[in-house]
Each structure stands twice: as structure tokens, then as C-alpha cells.
């Protein structure tokens, strides 16, 4: 039995919630398995907005490169109670990689806010880098031009962000390196650590521990500016101007969600993203919060689709 004071507090909390969220549960569909960076950050945010939105649960719907979970969001009722995670893959790469998608990334979603950006990093096996005397991007390009076809690089698979970054690098640097596709990011990193491949474009969040342990040599990050978590590592763009690829994800609702509901969701999540607690938890994952307006996030995703259309065509990758 609850006390009168507790009952009053519960009532006050309910009144503070938006009308569409009172006594109901909001779910965030994560289109990947539990335990990865996207899942972890979604759970951090779900906990951070409970005072403003009430109960928020995470529902993992992995499969088909994120397409299964994302399509579920596209088909959900536009009532503000079902949200999803849009990613570099689902809203940037997959529209050009798959002949058909079970959703339209441009028309089936209402942007809420970008969540974060995680730099990708050009890394080499540390022993390989020492043996080949490669300490910088310039050294890697020099070696590649002097030894055409001798370099290879791994990725999480054809059409993955690591694959496309590698093809862009080859194109801008004027070098040739053999692409070795693995079945996922973790096998690709193991291939690099064991010396099966010479370099990868990996997510900084997953590569950081091995960089700090001295097993991988970080040559450069792929963002336009240096990363605040590893400011000593230069950018690829310092050697190849205009080179920019990073990993991002954000929140979307089904198309048709009322504008006032999207606005309230945006306020709740952007406030959470700006809180010291969330910033600290994201920093542990090498991630930088990137709160935005719904319009800005929508425009950003449109630019990403245009960029990856060119990169997918450059790579020649197709899934079906």
C-alpha cells in the first residue's frame, strides 16, 4: 500500500508527462542485437528520459543489416510511443546496397534527433606497421604506391562502412589494396589483430582498447576534425582533403507522427543528450552526443544518402 505522499508524487509525475505518454510505455526499437554500442546508448537514453516520458523500454529486432527492426518502426502507429534507431547503414548505405528495402528511408520516418557520432579510425596491426615502417597516412600511401597490390584491408562485409571507407581511401590516395570481407566487424578486427590483413577502417569505440594496448597502430580518424577522445591522432583529411566518414545513429518515429509530439520527444531526448551523466557514459564508448532539431537531423540524413550513393557505386558492392 502506497502512502498519501507517494500517491501525490506519482500523480504529479503523471501530470508532467505529455498526454500521449501518460500511463503508457514508449518503446525504442533497436535494429541490432543487445550488448553492442547502439543498444547500450539507447538504454542509457531510455533511462535518462524516464522523468519526462515515463517508462521507456528497449526492444531488440536484429537482422538483415538493420532492415528488419527499421521496417517495424516504419509500420508502427504514428502515436509517439514507438521510436526506432536510424543508423549510417539503414538510412545511408542500405538504400543503395539493396535492390529493394522494406521501408523508404526518406518517406517512412519522422526525424526526432541525432543521438551521436562515433569517429572511425584507420588502424594497422602494430607489428605490421613497424615491419613496413608505416607511422602515418602519408607512409601508408607511399608504401601502397611503391608496392601495388601488396596491401590488403579487412571490413565487416561487402557494403559495410569499413568497406566503403577503404574504397574511398583507395580512390583519393591513388593506391590499390585488396579488400578482404569478413562476416561482421568483430571477425574483421580479429583478422587485423592476427595479421591476416594489414589495415582496417574500424569504429573507434571498438578499436580503442587495442590501440591503447599497443596491438593496433592508429594512423588517423575519419572525421573532419580530430576526436576529443584521442586528439593526438590526426585526421585522414589532413593528408587527403575532403575525406570524411563517421558512424552515427539517431532517433526516428513513424511518418505521420504529429509535429507537436515529435517536438516533445525532441525536447526530452536532446535535454538528456546534453546532461553530464549521459555525456560521461557516451564518452566511455568514444561517442560524442550530437543532439539536433528534427529538421537538422532530416537534412543530415539526406546528405548522408547522397554521399553513400556515390560510395556504394564506387565500391560496386551489392547484397542482392
Amino acid at each position: 500500500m502506497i502512502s498519501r505522499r507517494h500517491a501525490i508524487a506519482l500523480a504529479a509525475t503523471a501530470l508532467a508527462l505529455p498526454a500521449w505518454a501518460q500511463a503508457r510505455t514508449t518503446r525504442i526499437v533497436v535494429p541490432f542485437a543487445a550488448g553492442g554500442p547502439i543498444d547500450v546508448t539507447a538504454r542509457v537514453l531510455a533511462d535518462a528520459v524516464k522523468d519526462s516520458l515515463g517508462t521507456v523500454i528497449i526492444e531488440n529486432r536484429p537482422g538483415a543489416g538493420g532492415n528488419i527492426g527499421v521496417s517495424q518502426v516504419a509500420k508502427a502507429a504514428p502515436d509517439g510511443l514507438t521510436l526506432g534507431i536510424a543508423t549510417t547503414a539503414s538510412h545511408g548505405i542500405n538504400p543503395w546496397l539493396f535492390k529493394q528495402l522494406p521501408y523508404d528511408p526518406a518517406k517512412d520516418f519522422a526525424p526526432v534527433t541525432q543521438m551521436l557520432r562515433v569517429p572511425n579510425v584507420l588502424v594497422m596491426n602494430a607489428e605490421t606497421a613497424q615491419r613496413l615502417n608505416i607511422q602515418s597516412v602519408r607512409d601508408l600511401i607511399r608504401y601502397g604506391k611503391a608496392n601495388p597490390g601488396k596491401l590488403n584491408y579487412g571490413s565487416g562485409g561487402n557494403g559495410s562502412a569499413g568497406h566503403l571507407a577503404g574504397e574511398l581511401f583507395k580512390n583519393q590516395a591513388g593506391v590499390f589494396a585488396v579488400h578482404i570481407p569478413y562476416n561482421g566487424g568483430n571477425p574483421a578486427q580479429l583478422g587485423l589483430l592476427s595479421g591476416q590483413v594489414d589495415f582496417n577502417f574500424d569504429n573507434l569505440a571498438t578499436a580503442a582498447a587495442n590501440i591503447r594496448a599497443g596491438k593496433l597502430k592508429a594512423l588517423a580518424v575519419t572525421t573532419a576534425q580530430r576526436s576529443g577522445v584521442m586528439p593526438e591522432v590526426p585526421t585522414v583529411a589532413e593528408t587527403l582533403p575532403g575525406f570524411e566518414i563517421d558512424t552515427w545513429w539517431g532517433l526516428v518515429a513513424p511518418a505521420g507522427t504529429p509535429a507537436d509530439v515529435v517536438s516533445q520527444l525532441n525536447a526530452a531526448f536532446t535535454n538528456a543528450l546534453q546532461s553530464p551523466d549521459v555525456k560521461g557514459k557516451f564518452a566511455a564508448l568514444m561517442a560524442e552526443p550530437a543532439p539536433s532539431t528534427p529538421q537538422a537531423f532530416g537534412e543530415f540524413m539526406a546528405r548522408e544518402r547522397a554521399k553513400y550513393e556515390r560510395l556504394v557505386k564506387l565500391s560496386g558492392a551489392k547484397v542482392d
Side-chain angles (χ1 to χ4, degrees), residues 31-32 63-68 70 87-103 105 158-161 164 304-305 308-309 312 317-320:
F32 297 97
N67 292 348
I68 291 175
V70 172
T87 67
T88 312
S90 67
H91 283 64
I93 298 173
N94 291 357
W96 316 112
L97 194 62
F98 291 81
K99 287 182 180 178
Q100 286 188 320
L101 286 178
Y103 60 90
N158 286 319
S160 66
L164 300 182
E304 289 289 283
R305 282 193 298 277
Y308 282 107
E309 179 181 18
V312 171
K318 288 292 179 185
V319 169
D320 56 6

Side-chain angles (χ1 to χ4, degrees), residues 139-287:
D139 289 343
L140 180 62
I141 295 172
R142 171 190 51 76
Y143 180 88
K145 288 184 174 180
N147 299 274
K150 287 190 176 181
L151 287 172
N152 58 28
Y153 75 99
S155 80
N158 286 319
S160 66
H163 176 206
L164 300 182
E167 294 304 304
L168 179 62
F169 175 77
K170 287 161 57 177
N171 180 263
Q172 289 194 215
V175 300
F176 178 75
V178 178
H179 172 229
I180 309 295
Y182 288 82
N183 187 26
N186 287 338
Q189 187 178 80
L190 290 174
L192 180 63
L193 289 168
S194 64
Q196 294 175 8
V197 294
D198 300 315
F199 68 92
N200 285 3
F201 283 88
D202 203 353
N203 186 291
L204 183 57
T206 56
N210 286 311
I211 293 171
R212 288 172 172 156
K215 297 177 181 179
L216 296 179
K217 170 71 176 177
L219 298 183
V221 293
T222 63
T223 41
Q225 290 83 34
R226 295 192 181 199
S227 169
V229 296
M230 283 191 177
E232 71 280 4
V233 179
T235 66
V236 177
E238 290 174 38
T239 302
L240 299 174
F243 190 103
E244 181 182 4
I245 289 183
D246 59 6
T247 299
W248 56 265
W249 53 92
L251 288 163
V252 291
T257 301
D260 63 327
V261 172
V262 171
S263 179
Q264 290 173 345
L265 289 167
N266 175 269
F269 284 105
T270 56
N271 285 341
L273 287 165
Q274 292 166 344
S275 72
D277 180 58
V278 168
K279 286 182 177 180
K281 290 176 179 176
F282 278 18
L285 297 168
M286 306 294 163

